[in-house]
Amino acid sequence: MSLAKRRGFVFQSSEIYGGLGSVWDYGPLGVELKKNIKERWWRSMVHERHDIEGLDAAILMHPKVWEASGHLSGFTDPLVDCKQCKNRFRADDPRIKGTPGQPDAQCPVCGSKGTLTAPRQFNLMFKTFMGPVEEQAAVIYLRPETAQGIYVNYLNVLQSSRQKIPFGIAQVGKAFRNEITPGNFIFRTREFEQMEMQFFVKPGSESEWFEFWRGERMKWVEGLGIRSEKLRWHQHDKNELAHYAKDAYDIQYEFPFGWQEFEGIHNRTDFDLSNHQKHAGKKLDYLDPKTNERFIPYVVETSAGEDRTTLVVLCDAYREEEVRGEEAAEGGEQRVVLKLKPSLAPLKAAVFPLVNKDGMPEVAHRIHDDLRRHFNVFFDDGGSIGRRYRRQDEAGTPFGITIDGQSTQDQTVTVRDRDTLKQDRVATAQLVEYLTQKLAG
Ligand code: GAP
């Protein structure tokens, strides 16, 4: 967390006012890292497949959507209140001793006995009002998942793109949940982004597609460069399943605070489409042009949290290690390095004039100007070259380009690899090609 703040990945929201609970802002490096992850997801889901279309639905939706989807009645957490100190907890808070509502229950904050109420259901959706009048009829909600924007548009997309079932719709966007026990940095927040894809299939074929998408999603996650021993599957048991799901598997990562989910693959059956058909009074069935059969499609959903995936990428890349050899003082030196996959790194290279004289800054500025037409590149002429390397190690920048005395003579530079610390001498004219090759994948 301290590196994320120091280097401009993540800041606390409204920090100068003491912060806003579990809401975070992404700084200059964080926004680039997130963008790279989202682009990678979009490319693999939408651009590289013929059977998935993109969508960007609005966050605000007709309030009946949430009645139909079951979120108004079912998207709740059981909460208990302490009558003494007025704090509120999830009923399953492991710090609570005894049974809430009973005389033996003890408040985990003030320690009073018998003051905890019996659990009551609390809806996790944020409410607001549409229009100038704050009355019940004007209540609308901030969406708690992006999926519903896809369901209510599925026929629009199907017809306008001339797709046939099986086909999918992908979307990246914000979702909001008034989480009761948020925490662990950007792991559980009240405002977050999801990368969701709903795949519409013929009833009866959903199990096959479910397995297919489980395989595809794990491959995608491994493609982010995450160590495979830190990844595992977790199948939901009956008590864990969301109100819409018949079967669900999470992809979990071993975070510093334990194994936790960051993506789910769900068999949502025809739950959502059938309910929208009923509540909206509009036919949402599909006519199979080959068999002339009519059916409401089943949905296999892949639902990834963008912020959680970013946290996985950051945690997995974070290393503290000892550097020896030329770059380190005698006896070795500690460094913090983010070993981000180069294609995900916010900055692709940093350009350093070795010293600020003898024509080196001018050459370095020319190279920087040329490279930044192709990549996100940083320029740094402050402090010793060792210090500049360390700063870029912490930012996860895969390549350091140094302009030295030889550069002004023979138009070559050194390119230092963040992970191996090896340096190549490369002709300035070849730099774009050299970096393009190294950044692929
Ligand atoms: N449409 C299905 C759905 O929303 P979910 O398991 O509730 O399913 C999917 O959420 C993903 O969204 C999670 O795996 C997680 O990565 C992310 N997510 C959910 N709640 C979150 C929160 N409060 N903060 C950050 N990410 C969250």
Side-chain angles (χ1 to χ4, degrees), residues 145 177 179 187 189 194 196 244 261-262 301 303 305:
E145 62 168 2
R177 295 182 190 179
E179 300 278 4
F187 177 79
T189 56
Q194 291 187 313
E196 295 200 307
Y244 49 71
E261 119 185 54
F262 64 103
E301 169 183 68
S303 175

Side-chain angles (χ1 to χ4, degrees), residues 75 144-147 177 179 186-194 196 198 236 244 250 261-264 266 268 301 303-309:
F75 196 56
E145 62 168 2
T146 60
R177 295 182 190 179
E179 300 278 4
I186 53 171
F187 177 79
R188 182 170 285 114
T189 56
R190 295 193 164 106
E191 171 178 345
F192 54 96
E193 264 184 300
Q194 291 187 313
E196 295 200 307
Q198 315 296 320
H236 283 207
Y244 49 71
D250 291 337
E261 119 185 54
F262 64 103
E263 167 152 0
H266 311 133
R268 292 182 74 137
E301 169 183 68
S303 175
E306 206 289 326
D307 309 72
R308 275 194 204 171
T309 308

Side-chain angles (χ1 to χ4, degrees), residues 11-25 126 182 185 189-191:
F11 308 125
Q12 197 179 12
S13 161
S14 321
E15 191 183 5
I16 60 168
Y17 289 97
L20 181 66
S22 286
V23 185
W24 299 90
D25 299 337
F126 277 99
F185 194 32
T189 56
R190 295 193 164 106
E191 171 178 345

Side-chain angles (χ1 to χ4, degrees), residues 94-262:
R95 298 171 304 164
I96 296 178
K97 295 195 186 84
T99 314
Q102 301 296 319
D104 67 322
Q106 191 175 10
C107 172
V109 170
C110 71
S112 308
K113 271 198 163 174
T115 55
L116 294 181
T117 62
R120 280 183 295 218
Q121 293 301 326
F122 171 82
N123 197 289
L124 298 180
M125 284 196 292
F126 277 99
K127 270 186 203 176
T128 187
F129 299 97
M130 181 104 137
V133 189
E134 295 193 4
E135 59 182 19
Q136 188 54 32
V139 167
I140 55 165
Y141 302 89
L142 302 187
R143 66 182 177 199
E145 62 168 2
T146 60
Q148 298 301 326
I150 293 182
Y151 301 139
V152 300
N153 274 300
Y154 114 88
L155 277 185
N156 284 336
V157 175
L158 182 90
Q159 284 153 6
S160 58
S161 62
R162 308 187 65 232
Q163 286 281 359
K164 290 190 178 63
I165 277 173
F167 90 110
I169 305 177
Q171 173 166 229
V172 178
K174 290 268 186 177
F176 303 82
R177 295 182 190 179
N178 198 1
E179 300 278 4
I180 305 313
T181 45
N184 283 329
F185 194 32
I186 53 171
F187 177 79
R188 182 170 285 114
T189 56
R190 295 193 164 106
E191 171 178 345
F192 54 96
E193 264 184 300
Q194 291 187 313
M195 305 183 288
E196 295 200 307
M197 193 280 297
Q198 315 296 320
F199 205 72
F200 300 87
V201 305
K202 191 172 176 180
S205 67
E206 70 277 8
S207 302
E208 217 175 292
W209 281 111
F210 189 72
E211 286 311 310
F212 173 80
W213 280 112
R214 277 203 325 123
E216 289 297 293
R217 293 311 300 150
M218 189 55 106
K219 267 191 257 163
W220 186 83
V221 168
E222 285 170 350
L224 297 174
I226 309 301
R227 289 166 289 181
S228 53
E229 68 273 20
K230 294 267 183 183
L231 295 167
R232 73 177 188 194
W233 285 107
H234 166 75
Q235 185 177 17
H236 283 207
D237 65 30
K238 275 213 172 73
N239 300 325
E240 287 173 279
L241 284 175
H243 61 273
Y244 49 71
K246 190 172 149 206
D247 196 5
Y249 276 82
D250 291 337
I251 305 181
Q252 293 189 333
Y253 178 76
E254 191 179 17
F255 289 97
F257 45 87
W259 286 96
Q260 294 285 348
E261 119 185 54
F262 64 103

Side-chain angles (χ1 to χ4, degrees), residues 250-355:
D250 291 337
I251 305 181
Q252 293 189 333
Y253 178 76
E254 191 179 17
F255 289 97
F257 45 87
W259 286 96
Q260 294 285 348
E261 119 185 54
F262 64 103
E263 167 152 0
I265 293 81
H266 311 133
N267 173 0
R268 292 182 74 137
T269 68
D270 59 353
F271 177 89
D272 299 274
L273 290 183
S274 293
N275 279 321
H276 284 307
Q277 172 164 292
K278 204 156 61 199
H279 282 76
K282 293 261 160 49
K283 283 238 160 272
L284 295 180
D285 57 359
Y286 173 77
L287 175 66
D288 190 321
K290 276 202 196 118
T291 62
N292 258 347
E293 277 174 284
R294 274 194 182 277
F295 56 83
I296 298 212
Y298 268 43
V299 171
V300 175
E301 169 183 68
T302 73
S303 175
E306 206 289 326
D307 309 72
R308 275 194 204 171
T309 308
T310 300
L311 187 60
V312 167
V313 166
L314 280 173
C315 289
D316 207 64
Y318 182 93
R319 312 286 161 84
E320 289 172 15
E321 57 181 34
E322 192 166 289
V323 184
R324 295 192 164 271
E326 260 178 50
E327 266 194 32
E330 220 170 297
E333 208 175 286
Q334 281 295 116
R335 76 164 177 168
V336 170
V337 54
L338 285 187
K339 293 196 167 172
L340 296 169
K341 185 167 183 153
S343 55
L344 293 181
L347 294 163
K348 304 305 182 196
V351 178
F352 311 119
L354 183 61
V355 288

